[in-house]
Amino acid sequence: MKKITLAESNKITSPNPLTLVCTAAPDGKTNIAPISWWTKLSFKPEMIGFAMAKTSYSGDMVRETGKVILAMPTEEVAEAAFACGTVSGRDTDKVAKFSIPMTEVPGSAIHIPNATCLAFLCDLVNTVDVGDHYLYVCTIDKIYGDTNLKALFAWDEETVSLRPAR
């Protein structure tokens, strides 16, 4: 073995499930940002954590509202899900721009893409400063899923790409 960088280690630990951070914007619309840095943290209580750059508009919305839905999209919205990472929700309605069909989630003001196979409805517990990112520690309120649908995965060599589960 030889010494490698953290970025190079992604080639060994990936692919990672692509996840959309869905948040409520101040105008009541849903903002979407793609991530692949998330993990289950605890089963009792059920908790999940995810990392986002400190400059992330979605992160601002999570900290402001304390609510977030982590939604795993299917191949049906692959191009749009990837495109959501190319513009900021601060000045772009990504759902409208990329024509993403959305659906309501019982008990939440936040919507998710119709083409979602797994959704974690979460409440923010803590935000941890971890260098150039914040780690969002959340309790899971509800989980919705469809085991017949396949999630997308992110990471292909040195560039992020989307592909269906193997």
Side-chain angles (χ1 to χ4, degrees), residues 18 20 72-83 98-103 112-117 146 148-153 162-165:
L18 179 79
L20 299 174
M72 292 184 189
T74 65
E75 187 174 350
E76 185 179 325
V77 291
E79 287 184 38
F82 181 71
F98 301 115
S99 302
I100 304 171
M102 303 291 282
T103 189
I112 61 172
N114 288 352
T116 296
C117 61
D146 184 338
N148 295 312
L149 299 175
K150 297 213 184 270
L152 290 174
F153 286 81
L162 301 178
R163 58 185 171 198

Side-chain angles (χ1 to χ4, degrees), residues 77-96:
V77 291
E79 287 184 38
F82 181 71
C84 283
T86 65
V87 296
S88 172
R90 284 186 211 293
D91 42 48
T92 304
D93 179 347
K94 298 178 192 182
V95 172

Side-chain angles (χ1 to χ4, degrees), residues 6 15 38 42 47 55 67 72 74 78 82 92-93 101 104 106 111 129 137 142 148 160 162:
L6 182 60
W38 70 271
S42 172
M47 297 180 78
T55 57
K67 300 286 186 184
M72 292 184 189
T74 65
F82 181 71
T92 304
D93 179 347
E104 293 183 11
H111 295 168
D129 185 325
V137 178
K142 294 180 183 102
N148 295 312
V160 174
L162 301 178

